């Protein structure tokens, strides 16, 4: 079976002011329905690998495959389009636009992609906010939401275009224990029930233990998997 997302001997090297390797020949394949945690000390290359997988950055060597197809030769515009269609991203800080309501923030990715009518966008927003338990807060701006509510709205936004792949960069790093558990359970549901590939960088041991696979990185390399 073809992996949904895969890195093949992917490396990322910074050359200014001196060469420094962020990701060193990493190979990693993740199937639909899997929840994967990437762990390791700060500066080990976890987020840099996630940016490669999420097509936010390009490897210097190796390649990233989506649905078995290499992304190496895609233009920036093609990569942006593929990212909108196939990949959702949740960060430690929600990055919701402060001037927009929760509903408007969730609608943005669908409006950018342009596949749905205004009424379809509105219905999808309602469905996602209800599913994530923040429908009652839909008309509020981010500064009127709790930290947990903001992160759930951010998850709804990441799911707006129904991506097969969900990536998280410390998605529980700014949350209390109650909201951390809610996010972990939601990510498990997205993988195990909805069949998405969920890959998250985390320092949260509870999150890592809840994942199906735990990938440990050190000095830009994968050194262990459990």
């Amino acid at each position: 079976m073809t992996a949904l997302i895969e890195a093949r001997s992917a490396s990322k090297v910074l050359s200014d002011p001196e060469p420094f390797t962020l990701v060193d020949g990493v190979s990693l394949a993740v199937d639909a329905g899997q929840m994967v945690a990437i762990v390791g000390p700060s500066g080990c290359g976890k987020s840099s690998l996630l940016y490669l997988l999420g097509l936010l950055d390009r490897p210097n060597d190796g390649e990233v495959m989506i649905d078995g197809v290499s992304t190496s030769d895609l233009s920036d515009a093609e990569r942006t389009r593929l990212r909108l269609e196939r990949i959702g991203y949740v960060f430690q800080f929600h990055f919701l636009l402060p001037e927009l309501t929760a509903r408007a923030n969730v609608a943005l990715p669908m409006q950018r992609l342009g596949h749905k009518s205004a009424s379809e966008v509105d219905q999808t927003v309602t469905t996602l906010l209800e599913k994530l338990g923040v429908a009652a807060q839909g008309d509020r701006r981010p500064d009127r939401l709790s930290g947990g509510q903001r992160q759930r709205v951010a998850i709804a936004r990441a799911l707006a275009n129904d991506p097969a792949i969900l990536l998280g960069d410390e998605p529980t790093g700014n949350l209390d224990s109650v909201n951390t558990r809610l996010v972990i359970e939601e990510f498990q549901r997205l993988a195990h029930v909805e069949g998405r590939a969920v890959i998250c960088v985390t320092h949260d041991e509870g999150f890592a233990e809840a994942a199906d696979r735990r990938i440990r990185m050190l000095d830009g390399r994968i050194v262990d998997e459990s």
Side-chain angles (χ1 to χ4, degrees):
M1 185 175 72
T2 301
L4 194 55
I5 183 168
E6 182 178 3
R8 293 184 177 177
S9 301
S11 295
K12 181 64 181 181
V13 180
L14 297 182
S15 57
D16 188 21
E18 296 179 356
F20 181 76
T21 300
L22 298 173
V23 179
D24 190 2
V26 167
S27 294
L28 173 65
V30 179
D31 297 328
Q34 288 187 333
M35 179 173 165
V36 176
I38 302 175
V39 302
S42 296
C44 72
K46 303 186 302 296
S47 292
S48 296
L49 174 59
L50 204 69
Y51 296 158
L52 295 179
L53 292 171
L55 309 184
L56 295 171
D57 202 358
R58 292 179 182 266
N60 298 100
D61 293 297
E63 60 184 346
V64 173
M65 316 283 290
I66 305 292
D67 298 316
V69 178
S70 175
T71 62
S72 297
D73 296 328
L74 298 181
S75 67
D76 288 345
E78 289 169 331
R79 287 164 65 86
T80 296
R81 186 75 175 183
L82 182 59
R83 191 166 57 244
L84 268 174
E85 292 175 340
R86 301 294 284 164
I87 302 170
Y89 227 117
V90 181
F91 298 90
Q92 177 176 354
F93 300 102
H94 54 81
F95 294 124
L96 299 174
L97 295 182
E99 68 275 17
L100 299 182
T101 65
R103 292 189 64 87
N105 268 284
V106 176
L108 275 177
M110 290 179 280
Q111 293 166 343
R112 286 187 65 198
L113 191 58
H115 284 176
K116 294 183 178 181
S117 67
S119 62
E120 289 172 329
V121 168
D122 191 60
Q123 181 56 56
T124 301
V125 170
T126 297
T127 299
L128 286 169
L129 292 180
E130 287 177 347
K131 188 178 291 186
L132 286 154
V134 284
Q137 289 76 36
D139 292 326
R140 297 182 184 177
R141 290 186 173 88
D143 63 355
R144 296 186 56 221
L145 301 174
S146 70
Q149 289 169 341
R150 286 193 291 266
Q151 195 64 317
R152 280 181 276 165
V153 171
I155 294 171
R157 181 182 58 185
L159 297 173
N161 287 326
D162 195 25
I165 301 159
L166 183 66
L167 305 181
D169 194 356
E170 300 286 0
T172 60
N174 214 29
L175 300 178
D176 60 26
S177 60
V178 173
N179 282 296
T180 291
R181 173 47 55 185
L182 289 173
V183 169
I184 290 172
E185 290 175 352
E186 179 60 22
F187 278 26
Q188 288 177 316
R189 188 189 69 79
L190 291 168
H192 302 155
V193 177
E194 297 193 1
R196 305 178 200 267
V198 177
I199 308 169
C200 294
V201 163
T202 186
H203 282 103
D204 185 330
E205 280 300 316
F207 194 108
E209 290 173 3
D212 304 309
R213 297 166 60 191
R214 176 160 44 182
I215 308 293
R216 180 169 179 80
M217 290 188 68
L218 186 65
D219 298 331
R221 300 187 181 98
I222 291 176
V223 294
D224 187 47
E225 177 174 350
S226 58

